[in-house]
Amino acid sequence: VAVVGGGLVGLASARELVLRHPSLTFAVLEKEKELACHQSGHNSGVIHSGIYYTPGSLKAKLCVQGAALCYEYCDQKGIPYKQCGKLIVAVEQEEIPRLKALYERGLQNNVRDLRLISAKEMQAKEPFCRGLMALDSPYTGIVNYRHVALSYAEDFQKAGGRVLTDFEVTNMEMAKESPPESTEGLKHPVVVRNSKGEEVYCQHIVTCAGLYSDRVSQISGCSPEPRIVPFRGDYLVLKPEKCYMVKGNIYPVPDPRFPFLGVHFTPRMDGSVWLGPNAVLAFKREGYKLFDFSPKDFGDAVLYSGLWKLVSRNLSSGMNEMYRACFLSAQVKQLQKFIPEVTINDILRGPSGVRAQALDSEGNLVDDFVFDGGTGDIGSRILHVRNAPSPAATSSLAIAKMIAKEVEERFGL
């Protein structure tokens, strides 16, 4: 089995498969020279507890299971993390009913140790934070997910798996003849080719290609839908001498009218504090800088009818996001709703991440897992993980169990 994609989901899935099937041979194919370079290495680092998701949904179940598995795994492997908690803070009276509904939802999802707290209790936890009421989630934590991903890779390799980096998959097809030096005939009938013409022969393929999941799927003759539209999230950082103002994660109450969450305060494992992010269309799928541009990526996005339908429904919030991306004072104004003491002199521009947002042709954000196979001979030998939505980093070990089960059922392993 070849697993395409060396991010958290690909590596966790490969690890789970090799541990379940030690007699089979597995390889992970990653286009970059290093693993976990993109979404897995450019994220907030939060271990989410599972509050936001619809009760009974796959996202809710996998997040709650995944958080417990993540903490357990980090303990086993000695990977440092901090269970610093999270406050979801209501700053307007109209947000209180939504906050109480979130609390009920969290209880239904079996989120641990969740409680509603008063403004006074909130200030005992976060002295600089202002608000009317908060939802306290002490089970939320932070970790460096790149360390987690590299540990998955180490487990995979120790169990006999091979990791091939600098292997950008450009073609998948049924082999016409057995590979050179093979004495087994067509035991491995699928050939995966990279941009340098190198080949890997296998029986089955699992793709976990993140920002390129739609393109990798198309290479094998599968549907281009759902399409990936990249959204860049730019973070600000608190100056080191001001980091004392934030102890744990501070989040807003989500507004159901808008597709993205809004700015929040996120402490990091290195002691820094990230603020944000915004959400703006990225002009390149791996474009982490403001002026990064790819004609192909940009063209794919703007010529897609689904994007324009999303834009037309969220025009004012989209313009606000663009404005905030350009003017720091607009970002600071949002942050001051929670910590009034933050000023423009306390912040610097920080790193960015790009989110692989799956979008359907009607302009709806695809909010759940999408598995896809192809057609014909090759289709029965491929499983594409088309969408592994946030919080996929938190849920990666739980997602891996689900993907392994899907692989076993589809391929009869």
Side-chain angles (χ1 to χ4, degrees):
V1 179
V3 178
V4 178
L8 277 159
V9 173
L11 291 167
S13 302
R15 172 187 175 275
E16 181 69 23
L17 283 164
V18 77
L19 293 176
R20 288 185 184 206
H21 301 281
S23 63
L24 300 181
T25 52
F26 293 88
V28 167
L29 313 178
E30 165 55 44
K31 77 181 177 68
E32 303 295 350
K33 289 183 170 66
E34 294 179 14
L35 297 169
C37 282
H38 295 294
Q39 290 184 108
S40 301
H42 290 81
N43 56 59
S44 65
V46 177
I47 302 172
H48 291 282
S49 59
I51 297 166
Y52 299 106
Y53 317 113
T54 307
S57 69
L58 206 48
K59 279 178 83 166
K61 288 175 188 164
L62 291 172
C63 183
V64 172
Q65 288 168 17
L69 289 169
C70 185
Y71 283 128
E72 189 184 319
Y73 183 80
C74 289
D75 284 335
Q76 280 173 5
K77 299 290 176 179
I79 297 170
Y81 64 86
K82 292 177 189 167
Q83 216 163 331
C84 56
K86 170 164 79 175
L87 294 180
I88 301 173
V89 179
V91 292
E92 312 272 356
Q93 202 68 40
E94 68 191 36
E95 293 175 333
I96 289 177
R98 295 208 304 269
L99 187 72
K100 288 179 174 173
L102 263 189
Y103 171 63
E104 293 302 327
R105 177 173 275 204
L107 292 181
Q108 284 178 275
N109 288 342
N110 298 315
V111 175
R112 299 187 193 188
D113 307 325
L114 207 55
R115 62 194 190 108
L116 284 167
I117 59 174
S118 66
K120 191 176 175 185
E121 290 173 291
M122 183 176 73
Q123 281 202 269
K125 281 181 166 285
E126 292 283 359
F128 291 88
C129 185
R130 299 290 176 270
L132 305 173
M133 182 187 271
L135 186 52
D136 178 22
S137 171
Y139 194 64
T140 301
I142 54 173
V143 72
N144 183 326
Y145 277 117
R146 187 139 199 277
H147 292 170
V148 175
L150 295 178
S151 182
Y152 291 166
E154 196 180 321
D155 294 347
F156 174 67
Q157 288 169 302
K158 279 183 181 168
R162 286 185 65 196
V163 173
L164 302 177
T165 52
D166 202 14
F167 194 105
E168 183 174 357
V169 174
T170 55
N171 185 253
M172 304 173 201
E173 62 185 19
M174 297 304 288
K176 294 174 179 64
E177 54 188 40
S178 56
E181 299 163 32
S182 169
T183 56
E184 299 174 310
L186 269 179
K187 188 184 174 194
H188 300 94
V190 182
V191 59
V192 184
R193 224 170 262 113
N194 72 6
S195 48
K196 294 178 282 189
E198 296 166 336
E199 295 177 338
V200 167
Y201 285 78
C202 57
Q203 290 184 348
H204 304 286
I205 303 172
V206 180
T207 74
C208 303
L211 283 154
Y212 287 90
S213 62
D214 55 345
R215 289 191 190 160
V216 169
S217 177
Q218 276 181 280
I219 285 170
S220 70
C222 288
S223 162
E225 303 270 338
R227 191 76 64 86
I228 295 297
V229 176
F231 283 88
R232 195 182 70 252
D234 303 311
Y235 284 93
L236 305 174
V237 291
L238 272 182
K239 287 182 177 174
E241 64 271 22
K242 294 291 182 175
C243 288
Y244 66 86
M245 289 197 281
V246 178
K247 295 193 178 339
N249 293 282
I250 301 172
Y251 274 58
V253 179
D255 189 328
R257 292 174 301 166
F258 304 133
F260 297 116
L261 182 61
V263 297
H264 38 278
F265 297 75
T266 305
R268 302 282 293 175
M269 287 300 295
D270 62 4
S272 62
V273 175
W274 288 10
L275 316 168
N278 57 6
V280 293
L281 180 68
F283 299 149
K284 186 179 178 186
R285 291 201 181 195
E286 289 157 359
Y288 300 105
K289 297 190 178 74
L290 185 61
F291 297 110
D292 283 351
F293 182 81
S294 156
K296 178 170 173 50
D297 293 350
F298 180 68
D300 274 1
V302 299
L303 294 173
Y304 184 48
S305 62
L307 175 64
W308 292 107
K309 289 172 185 171
L310 176 73
V311 167
S312 65
R313 288 202 297 267
N314 296 279
L315 195 56
S316 64
S317 64
M319 295 304 287
N320 283 337
E321 290 289 334
M322 295 289 282
Y323 181 76
R324 288 216 315 269
C326 297
F327 299 100
L328 287 188
S329 56
Q331 286 263 49
V332 171
K333 200 171 173 185
Q334 294 291 313
L335 296 165
Q336 285 172 335
K337 290 181 180 177
F338 302 91
I339 298 186
E341 283 87 346
V342 173
T343 70
I344 198 159
N345 299 319
D346 298 330
I347 60 171
L348 302 164
R349 287 199 181 272
S352 300
V354 178
R355 173 181 180 153
Q357 181 58 61
L359 201 60
D360 69 19
S361 56
E362 293 305 308
N364 300 311
L365 303 180
V366 179
D367 207 28
D368 221 331
F369 293 85
V370 179
F371 293 119
D372 187 11
T375 52
D377 291 342
I378 199 163
S380 61
R381 293 181 175 274
I382 294 185
L383 173 66
H384 294 294
V385 181
R386 296 295 299 268
N387 194 42
S390 179
T394 298
S395 310
S396 56
L397 288 170
I399 291 170
K401 289 179 187 298
M402 181 180 73
I403 290 173
K405 188 165 176 284
E406 187 80 18
V407 167
E408 287 166 346
E409 285 173 5
R410 286 201 183 211
F411 302 153
L413 294 190

